[in-house]
Amino acid sequence: MLLECDGISKRFGGVHAVAEVDLAVAPGQVFGLIGPNGAGKTTLVNLISGHLRIDAGAIRFAGADVTRLAPHALTARGIARTFQGVRLFKGLTVLENVLVGRHARMRSDVLRRLWPRGAPDRRDRESAGLLLERLGLKRPQALAGELAYGDQRRLEIARALASEPRLLILDEPAAGMNPAESARLRELMRALVAEGLTIVLIEHDVRLVMGTCERVAVLNFGRKIAEGTPVEIQASPIVREAYLGSEDAA
Amino acid sequence: MDALGEFVRVYQTTIGVIGINALLALSVWITLYAGQLTLGNAAFMAIGAYGAALLGMRLGVPFPLGLVLGAGLSATLALPLGLAVFRLRGVYLAIATIGFGEVVRVLLLTLPFTGKALGLNGIPPLTELWHIYLSLVVVAYVLWRVQGSTVGRAWAAIREDEIAAASQGIAIRRYKLAAFVAGAALAAWAGGLSAHLNFSIEPGDFGFTRAVQILVYAVVGGTPSVAGPILGATLLTALPEILRPLREYRDIFAGLILMGVIIYLPRGLVTLAELRKTRRLQEIGAADVA
Amino acid sequence: MRTRLFALAAATSVLLAACGGGTPGAQPSASTGPKADIKVGLAISLTGAANIYGPAQQNGAKLAMEQINTAGGIDGAKIALVVEDDASARDQGITVFRKLINEDKVAAILGPTLSGVAAGAHPVAQQAGLPVIAISNTGVGIVGKCDYGACDWIFRASLGEETALPAALKAAKDKLNLKKVVLMFESDQKFAADGADIFKKAAADNGITIARTIPYKTADVDFSAFVTQAKGESPDAILASGLAGTASKVLIEVGKQFPQGLRVVGSNGFNSPAVITAAGAAAPNMIVGTAWNKASTDKTNTDFVKAFKDKYGTDPDQFATQAYTAMIVLADAMKRSGNATDKASLKKALEATKDLATPLGAFSFTPEHDVKQPVFVMTVKDGQFVPFN
Amino acid sequence: MAEQLYNAIFVGSIYALFAVGFALVFSVLDILNLAHPVVFMLGAFVALFCMSTFGLPAAIAAVAAFLVTGLFGIFLDRLAFAPLRRRGAPPLSAMISSLGFAIVVIRLMELRYGPDLTSYPAGSLPQTVVQIGDARVDGLRLLIIGLAILLMAALTYVVRATQLGRDIRALAENPRAARLLGVDVDRAIAATFFISSGLGGVAGALLGFAYNAIYPQMGTPYELKAFTVMVVGGMGSLPGAVLGAYILGIGEIAALVFLPAELAELRDAFAFGLLFLVLVIRPRGLLGHRAVERA
């Protein structure tokens, strides 16, 4: 298993945002995480990516215990993520955003840059340019904040990929995308998995999840209520009940 | 050339102070660039000034070594302070650093070896203009190059979005601390130069007013580029001399200029230079049409 | 990025050129008469923290200049005052001194207002070998033994606290039989801290015990707690060293908490009509050693007070009087020097100043270039300073 | 001892009156208004003008100080802050803009009234001494303490219980949402500045009465105190500001009373050390609720 969560919990005040959740994501998988609004999906992601301190339980990544590691250390080990609602560096250019994404894979070049003609990051810039091309982003020198929303989403994915992760966590990447963009996103995910990347996909768009994922876990009120193949999940009465009356089931 | 020599002779203090203020503005610019609003640089300046002056006067430490030790002392103190205030942001950080600044000022007024309110007098004037401007050129160049480096990008990323920056593998605490400590060392370096510029220093030179001034230089000049703080410090330091003919009204104009720049030039004085550039582009465009 | 840096360099040089070209033009040399004017620099704080004093000094010096010029000037040459504001800031004070010396080529400088500014500016004149008369610095180290080394070009026309405070304390002790006092001082002001040290020494010399020393800060707002604490020691008097801003607050509180009255021996900061007005009913508690007795019936003084009032519509204060006196002293030395613009002979003539009649009384310089004049220990009655004895 | 406690409460009341207005603008608009000391000073001068030119009694002069400085606060906002708000400039810009504004106004006042101390006309202030036990208490100060508490109670009432207060609180919470909910945002901002500056002005007038010495720079010493007060009490919390003010007032005087004479110099270090400690240990202050941004 690439990622293993073992009974992890998080409380805010008296509320169990995440309660004793077990997850096991195999390498090369697209793993779906669904659940109604407020089910604890994003909290779970924040726990895995180190943005929140875990109350109980343990997380293992590629066989090593990473429970208490800070976000930047996790990135260095190969976990990258995007955010629900885009969090780009809006005042930086598109290219700079991707270069920041490569931070974990770059050595500090401050000293080398002091030489007036030094441009020690040329190779990084090239690979960042390739990534932008792959994601269909055309204006590397534009400010990230000036991009259209769909472009911002894709830039965020490019930035996450720049760190050459082994596990990519996408938090609702299709939100705000039109069907064509959504389809292209599915293509991209397939291609990435084919190259050996593992993806955890948090999504409201059930169709996207069912069409892409090999396994799906369902959260409700912070607890995992079901896990299985898309077909099993669709058939599960518990899941139906959880989604009942919720628009997200549509 | 004679007129220039005369000019330098008369205004050498102003010219020196401009350079020192530019260094101070850059010291606060480093932290601003990393998204930290600090008002503690007057205190770090004091540490550098008193450090360099005391080491030179009491222990006979040579001037350059005194500067280095002053900056080192300041950086050493900035490290635990930076760790303590690391979680604070925006105005909260600013106020915490004001608190630190006031504690330093009170200590300077109290400690047995700082001359208390009398300050230190008779400091040998060892600072030459070229010391100041060489420092400025080196610092400006280094910071300009750092901007495009991994470190500069990391600082910018932290400024833009700390959470997202952490997810890109940036060790937030380490980078923020580095900016804080670098700013403190630079402020102390400028302080050491200023102590040896004109004979005496006293605790009142490094109070809240000074802290705000330093910040104002940087912000009014414009924080997007290295040139901004230098421009801001130059103009605002020269302003009292430029406005001298206005006599007792010069404060009023200085205040109005401050407001005018902040309100009408959102990105600071450097915007003026950029404006000229765009206008020239427009002219070229117009020529094409014609 | 590189172009930006160049733009900056260009902008800076343009700016420097602008002030280079602009400033001399903006300061046209004062009207040129048949015989070349003798320029005298007046470097004072018209703005900034000490802007209370600068305007009064300007008035005093200007009055003296006009009187001297009306009376025929210096061997027919008129004195032209070049007034520059140092904004109460040391850096500007230094620049102003350099400007007066190098650009205006003045024969001598009066000022600056603040001791802190003087600490930076005086060395400039010392280095250039130009006579300076300090007109309001009362702290230690202005003349005689200076921190920056030799200061033989610096003179002082303002009575130092080293003289004034012991005189006041001695007079108070003789009359009130002081044994135990409390010392309050503004600990973040150079000048007030100097005063506190002088008070301590004077108290020891007079066999007076200081039961408690209470430091306060310029920014302190309320003085009730300080005075309450002083009251706890049941002192015979309070010694207070502070600037005018806090002086009245001290007096008001003492008036409130000691309804039976308690004397406050104050430093030079107390020596201001504004403090009397602000302290109101509490003002008569004050005892202060001063350089000037406004009520003195000496003709030089009464003439001065009248001329000042005629010209400006208000009474002169000590700062105006000292600036006026310094100008008179300087003019006298210029006349005697034979060549007013020769710095060395002017310095010599200044050193020889002896018992000159001034509003401050008979005025001489000590070998250390400090003022030698009578000291007036004053108190307040009916809103006016009156002699204490 | 009782006397020192009384002194402390008086100092705390003045701090509180000053800081509450300062804190109000900060909590609603995130602006550190460095022109607040100017408003404070203007209050004292407005009262002086009323008393010396029109011969009005002190009580009416204080009311006039409230109204005039309140209106001045709205003017200040229009001139120094509104243009920045319209383009969404960072709070730092507002701070610098208000600093420029303060420099201009203080200098204008110095040119008009002179930088020196000015006093209220003789006999225009009540002078009574109240004997409480063996402590003699200045009646005017007692009155000022009472007034300060009354004003702060009134402020609490306005913010908590009136429609205007609800609008202001909505604005503080989220300006965009407030607008969507139908709050007249411009009116709420104007009201915030009116109340904040009016309180500052009254504080200045009352302080002027207490010391009978007013001057253009009189507000400056309070600026740093107000920072301390806000941080200790909790930024953005009005009750916090009041609590912080009394803690600072009592703390300063306690340091004076209990510190051995040799360490008396360190009194201020305690105030700012306290400030620093609170920020490091409990950044949101005693009653505050949002200092460290959450993920």
Side-chain angles (χ1 to χ4, degrees), chain D residues 3-223:
Chain D
E3 215 170 331
Q4 289 291 32
L5 187 63
Y6 173 69
N7 292 336
I9 290 172
F10 175 71
V11 175
S13 303
I14 294 286
Y15 288 171
L17 265 188
F18 184 91
V20 156
F22 199 59
L24 181 64
V25 167
F26 179 77
S27 66
V28 176
L29 298 162
D30 274 346
I31 292 172
L32 275 184
N33 178 12
L34 294 188
H36 200 63
V38 168
V39 172
F40 179 83
M41 171 269 289
L42 283 179
F45 275 94
V46 169
L48 172 72
F49 186 73
C50 292
M51 288 157 73
S52 62
T53 308
F54 299 121
L56 296 171
I60 295 179
V63 174
F66 177 80
L67 295 174
V68 174
T69 53
L71 291 174
F72 182 81
I74 298 177
F75 168 70
L76 160 71
D77 172 54
R78 291 284 143 83
L79 205 68
F81 298 133
L84 295 169
R85 197 160 49 234
R86 274 199 291 275
R87 70 150 203 262
L92 183 59
S93 304
M95 190 175 112
I96 293 177
S97 177
S98 63
L99 177 69
F101 186 86
I103 292 172
V104 173
V105 178
I106 288 182
R107 192 62 196 139
L108 284 174
M109 290 300 283
E110 280 178 351
L111 289 173
R112 171 68 186 78
Y113 285 94
D116 215 342
L117 307 171
T118 313
S119 300
Y120 290 98
S124 60
L125 296 173
Q127 301 222 337
T128 47
V129 174
V130 183
Q131 194 83 27
I132 300 178
D134 53 351
R136 290 164 42 85
V137 168
D138 180 357
L140 183 60
R141 293 194 168 192
L142 202 58
L143 198 68
I144 290 173
I145 295 177
L147 258 178
I149 292 171
L150 201 70
L151 280 171
M152 287 181 286
L155 174 68
T156 312
Y157 172 77
V158 168
V159 172
R160 288 264 163 91
T162 64
Q163 182 58 44
L164 181 65
R166 274 190 286 277
D167 286 359
I168 290 177
R169 274 182 296 148
L171 179 65
E173 216 49 61
N174 185 341
R176 211 177 311 158
R179 205 182 284 276
L180 289 176
L181 289 172
V183 171
D184 183 344
V185 169
D186 292 330
R187 183 171 149 271
I189 290 176
T192 304
F193 272 97
F194 182 84
I195 296 171
S196 155
S197 301
L199 285 176
V202 173
L206 292 180
L207 191 85
F209 294 160
Y211 300 126
N212 198 18
I214 60 179
Y215 50 101
Q217 310 248 22
M218 65 186 280
T220 317
Y222 291 89
E223 204 159 46

Side-chain angles (χ1 to χ4, degrees), chain B residues 6 13-14 144 205 244 250, chain C residues 1 85 90 95 98 102:
Chain B
E6 176 80 340
T13 305
T14 311
W144 174 54
D205 298 343
R244 194 166 276 289
R250 59 183 173 150
Chain C
M1 217 34 118
D85 173 27
R90 185 170 42 230
T95 300
R98 289 222 174 90
N102 293 315

Side-chain angles (χ1 to χ4, degrees), chain B residues 242-290:
Chain B
I242 297 171
L243 296 180
R244 194 166 276 289
L246 295 172
R247 308 200 142 256
E248 60 262 50
Y249 298 101
R250 59 183 173 150
D251 284 5
I252 295 176
F253 280 83
L256 289 176
I257 288 173
L258 205 57
M259 283 180 78
V261 170
I262 279 295
I263 291 175
Y264 295 109
L265 300 175
R267 284 154 59 83
L269 282 169
V270 281
T271 336
L272 282 182
E274 284 164 16
L275 264 180
R276 219 183 40 198
K277 216 188 299 170
T278 43
R279 196 168 304 143
R280 208 171 50 216
L281 285 177
Q282 281 165 355
E283 279 163 17
I284 295 168
D288 280 348
V289 174

Side-chain angles (χ1 to χ4, degrees), chain B residues 6-7 9-15 17-18 105-106 109 117-118 121-122 144-145 147 198-202 205 210 224-225 227 230-231 234-235 238 240-242 244-245 247-248 250-251 267 273-274 276-277, chain C residues 1-5 7-8 11-12 15-16 19-20 23 26-27 46-48 83-87 90-92 94-96 98-99 102-103 105 116 119-120 123-124 147-148 187-190 193-194 197 217:
Chain B
E6 176 80 340
F7 175 77
R9 197 152 56 240
V10 173
Y11 290 101
Q12 50 179 294
T13 305
T14 311
I15 296 170
V17 171
I18 283 175
R105 198 175 64 88
V106 173
L109 283 168
L118 307 182
N121 294 291
W144 174 54
R145 294 296 289 179
Q147 261 189 316
N198 47 41
F199 303 104
S200 73
I201 49 176
E202 49 183 298
D205 298 343
R210 166 74 76 168
S225 74
I230 300 176
L231 193 59
T234 305
L235 190 75
E241 295 303 325
I242 297 171
R244 194 166 276 289
R247 308 200 142 256
E248 60 262 50
R250 59 183 173 150
D251 284 5
R267 284 154 59 83
E274 284 164 16
R276 219 183 40 198
K277 216 188 299 170
Chain C
M1 217 34 118
R2 193 165 299 174
T3 48
R4 264 194 211 168
L5 214 61
L8 168 79
T12 313
L15 191 74
L16 290 176
C19 19
T23 318
Q27 282 293 336
L46 293 171
T47 59
V83 184
E84 289 293 355
D85 173 27
D86 63 26
R90 185 170 42 230
D91 294 335
Q92 288 200 37
I94 296 169
T95 300
V96 160
R98 289 222 174 90
K99 182 181 168 301
N102 293 315
E103 218 167 71
K105 313 248 186 280
V124 174
D147 294 315
Y148 53 87
S187 66
D188 52 351
Q189 292 292 335
K190 185 185 174 79
D194 266 345
D197 289 341
K217 301 264 172 0

